[in-house]
């Protein structure tokens, strides 16, 4: 055993480092006798940081990253000072400065260290996004842009219409990022943008463009398709424009052509997508490696439109590309040239700043919710969570200020009993639906969302409690896996049967009386599957908030544990609250709410800096 790895062993023994991290650190130490112990520690800690969602490790944050793993910074042994870490990086041939990206396994700059793979993913994302924005700008004709946008937007009002600004950006820029909270009109804007773009191309005699719609999960793709289909008929456009509008979104994996049993996609830089424009919804959920692969497969000359909510939880895997792009854009002022163009097209001046860069012109934030009016508790509560105003939130809730958001402290003592008592009837009704489509629609009316998976406040325990009663109601054996009305959540991608992690289905009998699983199909209908063909599934009466990302329900109960848990943070609670269209019940104590809102999850990444760096 290499004694330089003693610190790694001690950190593993204290539950800080995982065996995988230690293995990586020791591999590095074993390469040569003089590899400093600090380098092994940095490799192990950078690997741990990736598991926590970071794409790099700032050297000054070493204690924080290790401390987060064990929940107690004081339990850490003495760690090397930042200067010693820097020195170890600078003197070892197993680490290279970020400017010399060919060398692996570790890359560093003055502040950070990366595992080579994540450094390259960041580099690829930065390179393609910067390339998109550095393409020579085509000559723009303000009159033609006004004609293209006019059918959809009320141009010329006193205030800048940010939806029109977003669509204008999409018409002239190869990269457009539209961020905004729930109901701020992201999907509507993109539909109007696509219609305007198709109309514009048609007017200039060009062929209908090839447009692809995608989202990170099957559920989010289905919701995007459904939203677009609902709105398309009401569009006042020529029939051939309507026909050219896409209405079916796929998962990003499917778009890129996932290969069974392989990490590689069919489409990549050598065999790019056959497309003119790709729209990606729910982009906050897209992790860094997947974004790098998408951008790799984007052909030269194609456009990219990204939609998402920057305040939501970031992807489960490492990275937060949307946050980095928004950070690179700055605080919402565009360049003077863009402001002049917006004025020429819409007659309204928007804020501009001489220092605003290319990303500032590409990112448009939508602020106004069309779903919640100013009096809506949901809108106000979401805004308070986002702003970290825990005291104001608890005051409003305990004074019962809102008609659509309630605090239920009592139920937080023992959620399974309280929530099963309150909601089991609506889940039991699923078993009596004759039409699986109706059952699936009914199932979106309510959901229990919880911060945790395990323990008394976790989704497992809550689902078990629902299942006990529901099996009994259905006359099934106490341990029956399948029974009519069972609501299912797919937990593993199964490309063979086109089911994806996060898909929701229901178990009901078919016309022959055989129990089948029914899932929504891509065209807005349902499809049935033999139970034996299903991938790994669990019940979906209660879901973790992480799994609920990309879904929407009429009403949700949000369960937070009374004890502190690392996952609790304002992004988690904001994501949960914004899953509801009409009603939220917070099953939590005010103390837990305050603690949750006070904590903001950080993701360390070098991407924002690399997006705005003066050279690649
Ligand atoms: N400019 C507008 N004027 C009036 N209503 C609008 C406008 N833009 C969007 N809406 C309406 O607001 C609602 C929410 O819009 P939309 O679904 O586009 O928002 P979103 O940001 O995509 O929401 P989500 O967060 O659910 O994805 C829809 O009913 C839509 O018809």
């Amino acid at each position: 055993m290499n004694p330089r790895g003693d610190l790694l062993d001690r950190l593993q023994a204290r539950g800080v480092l995982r065996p995988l991290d230690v293995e990586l650190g020791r591999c590095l130490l074993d390469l040569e006798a003089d590899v400093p112990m600090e380098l092994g520690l940095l490799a192990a800690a950078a690997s741990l940081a990736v598991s926590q969602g970071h794409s790099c490790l700032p050297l000054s944050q070493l204690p924080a990253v290790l401390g987060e793993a064990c929940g107690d910074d004081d339990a850490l042994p003495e760690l090397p000072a930042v200067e010693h870490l820097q020195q170890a990086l600078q003197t070892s041939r197993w680490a290279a400065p970020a400017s010399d990206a060919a060398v692996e396994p570790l890359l560093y700059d003055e502040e950070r260290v990366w595992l080579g793979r994540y450094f390259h993913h960041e580099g690829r994302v930065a390179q393609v996004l910067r390339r998109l924005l550095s393409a020579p700008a085509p000559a723009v004709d303000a009159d033609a842009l006004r004609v293209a946008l006019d059918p959809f937007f009320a141009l010329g009002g006193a205030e800048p219409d940010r939806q029109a600004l977003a669509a204008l950006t999409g018409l002239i820029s190869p990269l457009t990022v539209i961020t905004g909270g729930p109901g701020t009109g992201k999907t509507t804007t993109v539909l109007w943008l696509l219609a305007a773009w198709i109309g514009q191309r048609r007017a200039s005699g060009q062929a209908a463009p090839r447009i692809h719609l995608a989202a990170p999960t099957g559920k989010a793709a289905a919701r995007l398709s459904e939203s677009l289909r609902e709105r398309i008929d009401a569009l006042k456009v020529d029939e051939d424009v309507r026909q050219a509008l896409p209405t079916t979104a796929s998962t990003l994996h499917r778009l890129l052509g996932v290969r069974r049993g392989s990490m590689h996609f069919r489409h990549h830089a050598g065999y790019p997508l056959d497309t003119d424009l790709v729209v990606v919804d729910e982009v906050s959920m897209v992790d860094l490696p997947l974004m790098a692969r998408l951008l790799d497969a984007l052909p030269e000359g194609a456009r990219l439109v990204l939609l998402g909510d920057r305040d939501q939880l970031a992807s489960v895997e490492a990275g937060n590309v949307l946050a980095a792009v928004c950070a690179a854009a700055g605080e919402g002022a565009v360049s003077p040239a863009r402001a002049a163009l917006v004025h020429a097209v819409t007659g309204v001046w928007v804020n501009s700043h001489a220092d605003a860069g290319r990303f500032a012109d590409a990112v448009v934030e939508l602020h106004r919710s069309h779903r919640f009016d100013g009096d809506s508790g949901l809108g106000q509560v979401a805004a308070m969570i986002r702003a970290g105003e825990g005291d104001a939130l608890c005051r409003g809730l305990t004074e019962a200020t809102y008609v659509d958001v309630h605090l239920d402290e009592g139920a937080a003592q023992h959620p399974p009993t309280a929530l099963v008592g309150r909601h089991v009837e609506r889940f039991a009704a699923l078993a009596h639906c004759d039409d699986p489509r109706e059952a699936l629609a009914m199932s979106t009316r309510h959901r229990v969302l919880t911060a945790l998976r395990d323990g008394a406040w976790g989704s497992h325990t809550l689902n078990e409690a629902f299942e006990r009663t529901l099996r009994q109601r259905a006359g099934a054996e106490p341990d029956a896996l399948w029974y009519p009305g069972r609501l299912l959540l797919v937990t593993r991608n199964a490309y063979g049967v086109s089911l994806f992690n996060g898909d929701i289905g229901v178990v009901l009998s078919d016309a022959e009386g055989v129990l089948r699983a029914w899932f929504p199909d891509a065209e807005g209908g349902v499809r049935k599957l033999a139970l034996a063909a299903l991938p790994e599934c669990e019940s979906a009466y209660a879901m973790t908030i992480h799994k609920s990302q990309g879904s929407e329900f009429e009403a949700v109960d949000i369960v937070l544990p009374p004890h502190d848990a690392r996952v609790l943070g304002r992004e988690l609670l904001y994501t949960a609250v914004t899953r509801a269209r009409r009603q939220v019940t917070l099953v939590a104590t005010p103390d837990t709410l305050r603690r949750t809102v006070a904590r903001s999850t950080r993701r360390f990444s070098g991407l924002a800096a690399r997006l705005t760096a003066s050279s690649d």
Side-chain angles (χ1 to χ4, degrees), residues 32-359:
E32 278 170 350
D34 60 352
V35 175
M37 138 324 236
E38 287 86 353
L39 213 64
L41 174 63
L42 283 174
S47 157
L48 177 70
V50 165
S51 77
Q52 294 172 352
H54 311 297
S55 53
C56 67
L57 170 69
L59 301 180
S60 61
Q61 300 297 329
L62 177 68
V65 166
L66 298 178
E68 188 181 329
C70 64
D72 180 7
D73 296 18
D74 297 336
L76 294 175
E78 193 178 339
L79 297 169
V82 170
E83 306 80 69
H84 292 143
L85 298 173
Q86 280 166 332
Q87 203 179 9
L89 287 164
Q90 286 157 8
T91 52
S92 170
R93 69 189 184 101
W94 302 105
S99 51
D100 181 13
V103 181
E104 294 196 24
L106 292 180
L107 282 306
Y108 65 90
D109 64 12
E110 302 82 56
E111 299 162 40
R112 300 168 268 241
V113 61
W114 287 262
L115 292 182
R117 205 149 69 88
Y118 287 85
F119 182 83
H120 293 306
H121 287 321
E122 274 190 4
R124 189 68 184 134
V125 170
Q127 186 191 29
V128 178
L129 294 183
R130 288 167 57 120
R131 185 196 77 204
L132 286 171
L133 290 181
S134 59
V140 286
D141 175 345
D143 292 332
L145 287 169
R146 191 176 325 108
V147 169
L149 295 173
D150 193 54
F152 309 102
F153 301 93
L155 302 177
E159 290 288 311
D161 175 348
R162 300 198 64 80
Q163 285 178 287
L165 179 59
L168 169 59
T169 308
L171 289 182
I172 60 174
S173 170
L175 171 67
T176 305
V177 181
I178 308 176
T179 172
T184 48
K186 300 180 291 296
T187 316
T188 308
T189 306
V190 93
L191 178 65
W192 292 346
L193 157 64
L194 296 179
W197 191 48
I198 294 167
Q200 211 186 27
R201 286 175 59 111
R202 196 170 139 261
S204 62
Q206 288 176 274
R210 295 153 301 172
I211 300 173
H212 289 87
L213 308 173
T217 65
K219 187 76 207 157
R223 205 157 74 81
L224 175 61
S225 310
E226 199 182 303
S227 286
L228 292 174
R229 277 188 210 122
E230 276 169 10
R231 289 165 178 63
I232 257 177
D233 286 344
L235 270 187
K236 292 191 179 64
V237 290
D238 290 345
E239 200 45 39
D240 51 352
V241 171
R242 196 188 316 277
Q243 290 303 329
L245 283 165
T247 53
T248 302
S250 69
T251 60
L252 277 168
H253 282 83
R254 186 157 286 272
L255 175 72
L256 293 174
V258 74
R259 292 170 163 181
R260 212 181 295 186
S262 160
M263 298 275 289
H264 301 286
F265 292 110
R266 190 156 6 112
H267 292 288
H268 45 73
Y271 181 51
L273 291 162
D274 184 19
T275 192
D276 295 306
L277 186 152
V278 178
V279 176
V280 185
D281 197 8
E282 298 286 358
V283 80
S284 59
M285 293 168 70
V286 182
D287 59 55
L288 178 68
L290 185 57
M291 183 57 89
R293 293 196 165 108
L294 168 69
L295 295 181
D296 238 352
L298 197 69
E300 199 82 33
R303 294 173 178 223
L304 181 66
V305 177
L306 304 177
L307 310 177
D309 182 349
R310 66 193 283 184
D311 294 308
Q312 269 196 39
L313 276 176
S315 54
V316 176
E317 306 295 335
N320 192 349
V321 177
L322 180 60
V325 173
C326 291
E331 280 314 304
V334 299
S335 66
R338 179 58 56 85
L341 176 66
V342 173
H343 180 254
V345 176
T346 69
V348 181
W349 285 105
V350 291
N351 283 343
S352 65
H353 197 288
D355 292 338
R358 293 173 289 187
F359 282 92

